[in-house]
Amino acid sequence: MVTRRAVVTGASSGIGEAVARELRQRGWDVVGVARRAERLAALENETGIVAFAADVTSATDVEALAGWLSGSGPVHALVHVAGGARGADRVEDGRAADWQWMFEVNVLSGQRLVSALLPLLRDAAASDGHADTVFVTSTAAQTAYAGGAGYNAAKAGESMLAHALRLELNGEPIRVVEIAPGMVYTPEFTVNRLGGDQAAADRVYEGVENPLTAGDVADVIAYALDAPAHVNLDLVTMRPVAQSAQHLLARGALSVRPAPGSHG
Protein backbone atom coordinates (compact mmCIF):
# COMPACT_ATOMS: atom_id res chain seq x y z
CA MET A 1 0.00 0.00 0.00
CA VAL A 2 1.31 3.45 -0.94
CA THR A 3 2.06 5.86 1.89
CA ARG A 4 0.67 9.15 0.72
CA ARG A 5 2.51 12.43 1.30
CA ALA A 6 0.84 15.79 1.84
CA VAL A 7 2.27 19.29 1.81
CA VAL A 8 0.45 21.43 4.40
CA THR A 9 0.99 25.19 4.40
CA GLY A 10 0.45 27.34 7.48
CA ALA A 11 1.52 24.36 9.58
CA SER A 12 3.07 26.28 12.46
CA SER A 13 -0.27 27.14 14.11
CA GLY A 14 -4.05 26.99 13.95
CA ILE A 15 -5.80 24.98 11.26
CA GLY A 16 -2.58 24.17 9.41
CA GLU A 17 -0.99 22.66 12.50
CA ALA A 18 -4.16 20.71 13.25
CA VAL A 19 -4.23 19.33 9.69
CA ALA A 20 -0.59 18.24 9.94
CA ARG A 21 -1.31 16.46 13.21
CA GLU A 22 -4.48 14.78 11.94
CA LEU A 23 -2.91 13.50 8.75
CA ARG A 24 0.08 12.10 10.64
CA GLN A 25 -2.30 10.26 12.96
CA ARG A 26 -3.99 8.78 9.90
CA GLY A 27 -0.71 7.47 8.53
CA TRP A 28 0.17 10.16 6.01
CA ASP A 29 3.67 11.49 5.50
CA VAL A 30 3.44 15.25 6.00
CA VAL A 31 5.65 18.13 4.96
CA GLY A 32 4.74 21.11 7.11
CA VAL A 33 5.42 24.51 5.56
CA ALA A 34 5.41 27.84 7.38
CA ARG A 35 7.63 30.84 8.06
CA ARG A 36 8.24 30.12 11.74
CA ALA A 37 11.02 27.55 11.71
CA GLU A 38 11.17 27.07 15.47
CA ARG A 39 7.51 26.16 15.74
CA LEU A 40 7.80 23.80 12.79
CA ALA A 41 10.82 22.13 14.37
CA ALA A 42 8.88 21.57 17.59
CA LEU A 43 5.99 20.03 15.62
CA GLU A 44 8.45 17.86 13.72
CA ASN A 45 9.95 16.55 16.96
CA GLU A 46 6.52 15.86 18.42
CA THR A 47 4.67 14.31 15.47
CA GLY A 48 7.20 13.15 12.90
CA ILE A 49 6.23 15.59 10.19
CA VAL A 50 9.02 16.95 8.03
CA ALA A 51 9.47 20.69 8.50
CA PHE A 52 10.27 23.05 5.63
CA ALA A 53 10.50 26.71 6.56
CA ALA A 54 9.24 28.91 3.74
CA ASP A 55 7.20 32.03 3.12
CA VAL A 56 4.51 31.14 0.60
CA THR A 57 4.34 34.77 -0.55
CA SER A 58 7.93 34.47 -1.76
CA ALA A 59 8.42 33.06 -5.26
CA THR A 60 12.00 32.12 -4.31
CA ASP A 61 10.86 30.17 -1.26
CA VAL A 62 8.13 28.35 -3.19
CA GLU A 63 10.60 27.40 -5.92
CA ALA A 64 12.99 26.11 -3.26
CA LEU A 65 10.17 24.06 -1.73
CA ALA A 66 9.28 22.53 -5.09
CA GLY A 67 12.90 21.68 -5.79
CA TRP A 68 13.34 20.00 -2.42
CA LEU A 69 10.08 18.08 -2.77
CA SER A 70 11.00 16.77 -6.22
CA GLY A 71 14.13 15.19 -4.81
CA SER A 72 12.63 13.79 -1.62
CA GLY A 73 9.57 11.82 -2.68
CA PRO A 74 6.11 12.02 -4.25
CA VAL A 75 3.51 14.69 -3.50
CA HIS A 76 0.01 13.28 -3.34
CA ALA A 77 -1.74 16.30 -1.80
CA LEU A 78 -1.36 20.03 -1.41
CA VAL A 79 -3.35 21.41 1.52
CA HIS A 80 -3.15 25.19 1.32
CA VAL A 81 -4.13 26.61 4.70
CA ALA A 82 -1.78 29.60 4.95
CA GLY A 83 -3.69 32.85 4.77
CA GLY A 84 -5.01 35.56 7.00
CA ALA A 85 -6.83 38.82 7.52
CA ARG A 86 -5.66 42.29 8.44
CA GLY A 87 -7.96 44.96 9.71
CA ALA A 88 -11.70 45.36 10.06
CA ASP A 89 -12.01 48.75 8.39
CA ARG A 90 -14.71 50.08 6.15
CA VAL A 91 -13.81 50.29 2.47
CA GLU A 92 -13.30 54.04 2.68
CA ASP A 93 -10.93 53.69 5.64
CA GLY A 94 -9.03 50.58 4.52
CA ARG A 95 -5.26 50.55 4.19
CA ALA A 96 -4.07 49.53 0.74
CA ALA A 97 -1.07 47.78 2.31
CA ASP A 98 -3.38 45.52 4.33
CA TRP A 99 -5.44 44.67 1.25
CA GLN A 100 -2.30 43.95 -0.75
CA TRP A 101 -0.96 41.67 1.98
CA MET A 102 -4.26 39.76 2.11
CA PHE A 103 -4.26 39.26 -1.65
CA GLU A 104 -0.64 38.07 -1.56
CA VAL A 105 -1.11 35.56 1.26
CA ASN A 106 -4.54 34.26 0.29
CA VAL A 107 -4.56 34.34 -3.52
CA LEU A 108 -1.12 34.74 -5.10
CA SER A 109 0.38 32.19 -2.71
CA GLY A 110 -2.14 29.65 -3.97
CA GLN A 111 -1.28 30.39 -7.58
CA ARG A 112 2.46 30.09 -6.88
CA LEU A 113 2.00 26.77 -5.10
CA VAL A 114 -0.19 25.29 -7.82
CA SER A 115 2.20 26.39 -10.52
CA ALA A 116 5.21 24.95 -8.68
CA LEU A 117 3.69 21.72 -7.34
CA LEU A 118 1.22 20.65 -10.02
CA PRO A 119 3.91 18.72 -11.96
CA LEU A 120 4.65 16.73 -8.79
CA LEU A 121 0.95 16.11 -8.14
CA ARG A 122 0.56 14.88 -11.72
CA ASP A 123 3.48 12.49 -11.27
CA ALA A 124 1.91 11.07 -8.10
CA ALA A 125 -1.49 10.75 -9.76
CA ALA A 126 0.05 8.93 -12.73
CA SER A 127 1.84 6.43 -10.53
CA ASP A 128 -0.60 6.01 -7.64
CA GLY A 129 -4.05 6.71 -9.10
CA HIS A 130 -4.95 10.20 -7.98
CA ALA A 131 -3.77 13.37 -6.25
CA ASP A 132 -5.46 16.17 -4.34
CA THR A 133 -5.47 19.90 -3.79
CA VAL A 134 -7.34 21.43 -0.85
CA PHE A 135 -7.89 25.15 -0.33
CA VAL A 136 -9.08 26.50 2.99
CA THR A 137 -11.08 29.62 2.19
CA SER A 138 -13.82 31.05 4.40
CA THR A 139 -17.50 31.86 4.52
CA ALA A 140 -16.13 35.39 3.98
CA ALA A 141 -15.68 34.29 0.37
CA GLN A 142 -19.43 33.79 0.07
CA THR A 143 -21.02 36.66 2.00
CA ALA A 144 -19.80 40.22 2.37
CA TYR A 145 -19.99 42.01 5.71
CA ALA A 146 -19.26 45.54 6.84
CA GLY A 147 -15.64 45.90 7.82
CA GLY A 148 -14.64 42.77 5.94
CA ALA A 149 -14.29 43.88 2.35
CA GLY A 150 -10.54 43.30 2.06
CA TYR A 151 -10.81 39.79 3.49
CA ASN A 152 -14.02 39.13 1.55
CA ALA A 153 -12.27 40.04 -1.68
CA ALA A 154 -9.15 38.01 -0.92
CA LYS A 155 -10.98 34.86 0.09
CA ALA A 156 -13.40 35.19 -2.83
CA GLY A 157 -10.35 35.39 -5.07
CA GLU A 158 -8.92 32.22 -3.56
CA SER A 159 -12.28 30.50 -3.98
CA MET A 160 -12.40 31.44 -7.66
CA LEU A 161 -8.86 30.10 -8.05
CA ALA A 162 -10.07 26.73 -6.78
CA HIS A 163 -13.18 26.76 -8.98
CA ALA A 164 -11.18 27.61 -12.10
CA LEU A 165 -8.50 25.05 -11.30
CA ARG A 166 -11.13 22.33 -11.02
CA LEU A 167 -12.34 23.18 -14.52
CA GLU A 168 -8.82 23.32 -15.91
CA LEU A 169 -8.00 19.88 -14.46
CA ASN A 170 -11.13 18.25 -15.83
CA GLY A 171 -10.22 14.84 -17.20
CA GLU A 172 -7.23 14.40 -14.87
CA PRO A 173 -7.38 12.32 -11.65
CA ILE A 174 -6.65 15.33 -9.45
CA ARG A 175 -9.30 16.50 -7.03
CA VAL A 176 -9.81 20.16 -6.11
CA VAL A 177 -11.49 20.62 -2.74
CA GLU A 178 -12.55 23.85 -1.07
CA ILE A 179 -13.26 24.00 2.66
CA ALA A 180 -14.98 27.23 3.77
CA PRO A 181 -15.20 27.54 7.55
CA GLY A 182 -17.25 30.10 9.40
CA MET A 183 -16.36 31.07 12.96
CA VAL A 184 -13.30 29.12 14.07
CA TYR A 185 -11.58 29.83 17.36
CA THR A 186 -7.80 29.74 17.12
CA PRO A 187 -5.41 31.61 19.43
CA GLU A 188 -3.93 33.84 16.73
CA PHE A 189 -6.22 34.58 13.77
CA THR A 190 -8.51 37.25 15.21
CA VAL A 191 -5.82 38.75 17.45
CA ASN A 192 -3.59 39.21 14.42
CA ARG A 193 -6.45 40.64 12.39
CA LEU A 194 -7.16 43.22 15.10
CA GLY A 195 -3.57 44.33 15.46
CA GLY A 196 -2.82 42.38 18.63
CA ASP A 197 -5.84 43.62 20.62
CA GLN A 198 -6.61 40.53 22.72
CA ALA A 199 -9.61 42.09 24.46
CA ALA A 200 -11.24 42.96 21.13
CA ALA A 201 -10.53 39.45 19.84
CA ASP A 202 -12.10 37.90 22.94
CA ARG A 203 -15.28 39.92 22.35
CA VAL A 204 -15.70 38.34 18.91
CA TYR A 205 -16.21 34.93 20.53
CA GLU A 206 -17.86 36.10 23.75
CA GLY A 207 -20.89 34.00 24.67
CA VAL A 208 -20.73 31.80 21.57
CA GLU A 209 -21.34 28.18 22.46
CA ASN A 210 -18.73 25.94 20.83
CA PRO A 211 -17.18 27.86 17.96
CA LEU A 212 -15.48 25.55 15.50
CA THR A 213 -11.98 24.47 16.45
CA ALA A 214 -8.96 23.96 14.24
CA GLY A 215 -9.40 20.24 14.91
CA ASP A 216 -12.94 20.31 13.53
CA VAL A 217 -11.70 21.76 10.25
CA ALA A 218 -8.77 19.35 10.13
CA ASP A 219 -11.14 16.40 10.57
CA VAL A 220 -13.20 17.48 7.54
CA ILE A 221 -10.07 18.01 5.44
CA ALA A 222 -8.75 14.58 6.38
CA TYR A 223 -12.10 13.04 5.46
CA ALA A 224 -11.99 14.74 2.06
CA LEU A 225 -8.50 13.41 1.41
CA ASP A 226 -9.31 9.88 2.60
CA ALA A 227 -12.61 9.66 0.70
CA PRO A 228 -12.71 7.24 -2.25
CA ALA A 229 -10.69 8.62 -5.14
CA HIS A 230 -13.75 9.15 -7.35
CA VAL A 231 -15.49 11.33 -4.72
CA ASN A 232 -14.68 15.05 -4.80
CA LEU A 233 -16.00 17.40 -2.15
CA ASP A 234 -16.11 20.49 -4.34
CA LEU A 235 -17.13 22.85 -1.55
CA VAL A 236 -17.75 22.21 2.13
CA THR A 237 -19.19 25.14 4.07
CA MET A 238 -18.97 24.52 7.80
CA ARG A 239 -20.09 26.65 10.72
CA PRO A 240 -20.76 26.17 14.40
CA VAL A 241 -24.44 25.55 15.13
CA ALA A 242 -24.53 28.94 16.91
CA GLN A 243 -23.72 30.67 13.61
CA SER A 244 -26.65 30.21 11.25
CA ALA A 245 -25.29 32.73 8.77
CA GLN A 246 -22.50 35.24 8.51
CA HIS A 247 -24.66 37.90 10.18
CA LEU A 248 -26.66 35.68 12.56
CA LEU A 249 -24.78 34.51 15.62
CA ALA A 250 -26.32 33.23 18.84
CA ARG A 251 -24.62 34.32 22.03
CA GLY A 252 -25.49 32.35 25.13
CA ALA A 253 -26.43 28.73 25.69
CA LEU A 254 -28.28 26.99 22.88
CA SER A 255 -31.67 25.78 24.04
CA VAL A 256 -34.82 24.30 22.53
CA ARG A 257 -37.70 26.75 22.14
CA PRO A 258 -41.19 25.63 23.14
CA ALA A 259 -43.33 24.73 20.17
CA PRO A 260 -45.78 27.47 19.11
CA GLY A 261 -48.95 27.26 21.14
CA SER A 262 -47.46 25.02 23.82
CA HIS A 263 -47.78 25.82 27.50
CA GLY A 264 -45.43 25.44 30.44
Side-chain angles (χ1 to χ4, degrees), residues 241-242 244 248-264:
V241 173
S244 299
L248 186 58
L249 184 67
R251 297 186 187 272
L254 302 181
S255 61
V256 176
R257 298 187 185 95
S262 65
H263 301 281

Side-chain angles (χ1 to χ4, degrees), residues 87-239:
D89 301 317
R90 293 162 55 90
V91 173
E92 63 184 310
D93 302 318
R95 296 179 65 249
D98 289 342
W99 285 49
Q100 183 172 353
W101 179 85
M102 285 187 281
F103 193 79
E104 283 277 353
V105 76
N106 292 291
V107 184
L108 292 182
S109 62
Q111 188 277 327
R112 288 190 183 96
L113 286 160
V114 169
S115 180
L117 302 190
L118 190 54
L120 304 180
L121 291 164
R122 283 185 166 125
D123 287 345
S127 62
D128 299 321
H130 78 283
D132 298 290
T133 60
V134 179
F135 298 87
V136 178
T137 62
S138 170
T139 54
Q142 304 169 4
T143 305
Y145 56 91
Y151 189 55
N152 291 143
K155 280 303 185 184
E158 184 181 5
S159 177
M160 287 299 102
L161 183 156
H163 281 280
L165 180 64
R166 190 178 301 113
L167 300 178
E168 292 164 1
L169 295 180
N170 180 252
E172 299 188 56
I174 301 174
R175 300 185 292 193
V176 180
V177 176
E178 179 185 355
I179 307 295
M183 175 178 274
V184 182
Y185 175 77
T186 60
E188 296 184 359
F189 177 85
T190 303
V191 174
N192 289 340
R193 180 177 192 172
L194 299 178
D197 188 337
Q198 184 65 60
D202 291 342
R203 287 194 291 273
V204 171
Y205 303 97
E206 187 175 3
V208 178
E209 184 173 314
N210 295 326
L212 296 180
T213 67
D216 294 330
V217 183
D219 183 59
V220 172
I221 290 171
Y223 173 83
L225 291 173
D226 285 341
H230 68 284
V231 177
N232 191 90
L233 302 186
D234 283 18
L235 170 62
V236 178
T237 300
M238 52 186 301
R239 297 186 177 93

